[in-house]
Amino acid sequence: MKKVIKGGVLINEGKQYKADIIIENDRILSIIPEAKTDDCEIIHAENCYVLPGIIDDQVHFREPGMTHKGNIAEGSKAAAAGGITSFMDMPNVKPPTITNDLLLEKQEIAARTSLINFSFYLGATSSNIKEIKQVNPHTTCGIKAFMGASTGNLLIDELPALERLFAEAPILIATHCEDTPIINNNLAFYKKKYGDNIPAFCHPLIRSREACLKSSSLATSLAKKYGSRLHILHLSTAEELSLLDRGLTEEKMITGEVCVHHLWFNDKAYREKGNLVRWNPAIKTENDRRALLKGLNEGILDIIATDHAPHTIEDKNGLYTQAASGGPLVQHSLAIMLELAERGEITREKVIERMCHAPARLFCIEGRGFLREGYKADICIVQKNTWTVSKKNIFYQCGWSPLEGQTFHYQVRTTLVNGIVVYDQGKFPSNNSRGELLTFIR
């Protein structure tokens, strides 16, 4: 039976307009001013916005090896509740995803358990260039390079290994850019001052703007030297915006992502929330937050993502030298961005451009990211409704959110993945439904 999303205001490709969407099987059949509903399942969207499903290009769903923090099934459900219909998951799991066989194993887990669509990065090391060169460009979103401030064999910070990676990687390289020597020197200074109980407000002084800029500058210089396709993840400083290419996202060679926590919080949040707002890279100043928003509005920054990284509350609440960085965000990223739009800091159209269209363009995703006839029916319906984040309404396995107590004015009501309603008003009616492996036209 066909479905009709009826009476909503679409936000799509820079415009807002009222239209009905007819869905047949897993695709959008047509978008017309007023659809006939005979013999159709009606999904009422009156007084709602209808959006393309969000594509999150950076999550850490913790599977395999760290499922006490989160897993693909749980993470994908929380993401669906936040209007996300596709995710790209990072390789720093146990064992790390540094071979194509391990990449296939993660794809198989997701095919069995993920409520939404999925792809996975292959991790770069100093010794796995052969695996990188053999990656399937049609089913792998990118190569993830931790260029500093990481642990284990996923760290790739020696110049000869980086030179080879940038020279020979066949697909997009996504980088975490922080300079380890600078961070270690800063940490030693504050540890001498405070011992292990370093105050949380020191985090952006330890993982400093200088550490970010030095590493990002190295990445861009290597990309320009070798003509590589570089995507710098979770940019956090005003200075780094100067490193990115200008122009259309799909035509750039050097692009940038910003995460919602760097757009929502500033460094004053450390004094109130402590380690709960500790991320790597660190949240910086209000001037940086405003500069990042300006970069989005001007098209310098390309993608808005989450860097969703759940930890147990015990992991977050330890001493500074032991506490984990990262936090759960997939359920709330769209609410954050629509709240910023409500405040006039960005337009709704720009939010959809950077959370839906730009990821599809940048990664060359096949048939997703837009409300278009013939495209997969990945759709999010949002209502204007005042609500407050609390432990009672979060879906994260870790059981907490850095946004608890925050009131928002927009809420995801319904999410469809491949034409199937997977989330509706706090419930998951299609528990037997599974997302699909993203494919890329490269």
Side-chain angles (χ1 to χ4, degrees):
M1 180 182 290
K2 294 177 184 176
K3 297 182 179 75
V4 176
I5 299 177
K6 188 76 175 166
V9 174
L10 280 57
I11 306 179
N12 185 54
E13 301 194 67
K15 299 178 181 179
Q16 293 190 35
Y17 53 99
K18 191 170 183 179
D20 295 345
I21 299 176
I22 304 173
I23 299 167
E24 185 171 38
N25 298 321
D26 62 345
R27 294 184 183 271
I28 296 172
L29 179 65
S30 59
I31 302 173
I32 57 178
E34 188 168 359
K36 295 180 179 179
T37 57
D38 298 342
D39 299 320
C40 293
E41 177 187 341
I42 303 174
I43 300 173
H44 290 283
E46 292 84 0
N47 302 313
C48 293
Y49 291 112
V50 181
L51 323 172
I54 307 303
I55 301 171
D56 193 335
D57 81 333
Q58 187 185 183
V59 304
H60 300 262
F61 280 165
R62 304 302 190 195
E63 190 171 8
M66 292 181 280
T67 53
H68 64 289
K69 298 174 184 279
N71 58 56
I72 291 171
E74 163 268 335
S76 69
K77 288 180 70 174
I84 295 170
T85 57
S86 299
F87 69 84
M88 303 178 198
D89 184 73
M90 288 299 167
N92 51 331
V93 289
K94 295 180 180 179
T97 317
I98 57 175
T99 71
N100 285 285
D101 285 344
L102 290 168
L103 195 64
L104 288 173
E105 287 181 16
K106 287 183 75 172
Q107 291 173 3
E108 290 167 359
I109 294 170
R112 294 193 306 269
T113 66
S114 180
L115 201 61
I116 66 176
N117 307 310
F118 52 88
S119 186
F120 298 93
Y121 291 87
L122 182 71
T125 75
S126 59
S127 59
N128 75 333
I129 193 66
K130 182 178 179 180
E131 294 284 343
I132 290 170
K133 291 170 69 174
Q134 292 176 349
V135 77
N136 186 338
H138 303 298
T139 57
T140 308
C141 50
I143 307 300
K144 174 62 181 292
F146 290 89
M147 288 182 58
S150 184
T151 58
N153 61 353
L154 274 176
L155 178 64
I156 178 169
D157 61 351
E158 295 183 357
L159 191 57
L162 285 169
E163 296 258 8
R164 190 169 184 187
L165 170 65
F166 278 80
E168 300 184 36
I171 58 175
L172 171 150
I173 303 167
T175 55
H176 177 132
C177 290
E178 292 184 283
D179 184 77
T180 303
I182 290 176
I183 291 171
N184 287 343
N185 287 338
N186 292 339
L187 179 60
F189 173 84
Y190 285 98
K191 194 170 181 180
K192 185 176 181 180
K193 185 174 182 179
Y194 293 107
D196 287 334
N197 196 22
I198 299 170
F201 68 80
C202 295
H203 190 58
L205 306 176
I206 294 170
R207 303 186 84 97
S208 64
R209 62 194 322 106
E210 294 79 13
C212 294
L213 183 60
K214 182 175 181 180
S215 184
S216 297
S217 298
L218 173 59
T220 55
S221 67
L222 289 169
K224 290 177 180 178
K225 179 177 180 179
Y226 292 105
S228 314
R229 180 66 188 82
L230 170 65
H231 185 48
I232 306 177
L233 301 170
H234 41 44
L235 289 162
S236 61
T237 71
E239 294 89 338
E240 290 172 287
L241 299 182
S242 66
L243 302 174
L244 305 178
D245 286 345
R246 302 306 193 259
L248 298 175
T249 292
E250 58 267 36
E251 296 177 358
K252 298 179 186 180
M253 291 299 290
I254 300 174
T255 53
E257 171 210 270
V258 62
C259 290
V260 290
H261 46 282
H262 290 122
L263 299 171
W264 183 254
F265 296 109
N266 61 31
D267 55 1
K268 293 181 180 179
Y270 292 108
R271 295 186 182 273
E272 176 188 352
K273 294 180 178 289
N275 288 337
L276 295 183
V277 293
R278 172 174 163 171
W279 280 275
N280 300 337
I283 295 163
K284 305 296 195 303
T285 67
E286 175 64 10
N287 285 338
D288 290 303
R289 190 190 76 85
R290 292 184 178 277
L292 294 169
L293 276 164
K294 187 171 184 285
L296 276 176
N297 285 315
E298 294 178 353
I300 299 168
L301 280 164
D302 299 276
I303 286 179
I304 302 168
T306 64
D307 195 17
H308 172 89
H311 293 282
T312 66
I313 195 66
E314 292 78 16
D315 287 340
K316 292 295 289 183
N317 283 337
L319 296 174
Y320 180 87
T321 53
Q322 301 169 0
S325 292
L329 282 167
V330 287
Q331 188 183 338
H332 302 104
S333 58
L334 180 57
I336 286 173
M337 293 312 304
L338 291 177
E339 194 71 21
L340 291 174
E342 185 79 355
R343 296 178 182 179
E345 297 188 61
I346 190 171
T347 66
R348 297 185 191 96
E349 293 87 346
K350 189 69 71 175
V351 169
I352 302 312
E353 169 64 31
R354 296 304 167 194
M355 298 186 85
C356 307
H357 308 330
R361 291 186 172 118
L362 192 154
F363 287 90
C364 304
I365 300 172
E366 184 176 10
R368 303 184 193 275
F370 300 85
L371 299 178
R372 289 177 178 172
E373 294 178 357
Y375 271 52
K376 293 282 190 173
D378 295 342
I379 298 171
C380 169
I381 301 173
V382 174
Q383 62 188 353
K384 190 161 189 181
N385 178 48
T386 302
W387 65 290
T388 301
V389 179
S390 71
K391 292 188 184 301
K392 293 181 180 180
N393 57 28
I394 60 176
F395 292 105
Y396 305 130
Q397 177 182 303
C398 63
W400 65 275
S401 166
L403 297 161
E404 287 174 45
Q406 176 65 51
T407 296
F408 292 112
H409 293 89
Y410 292 88
Q411 187 172 29
V412 173
R413 196 201 72 186
T414 306
T415 303
L416 292 85
V417 176
N418 302 310
I420 297 173
V421 175
V422 298
Y423 173 79
D424 187 58
Q425 301 179 78
K427 298 181 181 180
F428 301 91
S430 298
N431 287 322
N432 293 325
S433 176
R434 294 293 175 263
E436 298 175 351
L437 177 66
L438 296 178
T439 54
F440 308 95
I441 303 172
R442 294 167 172 160

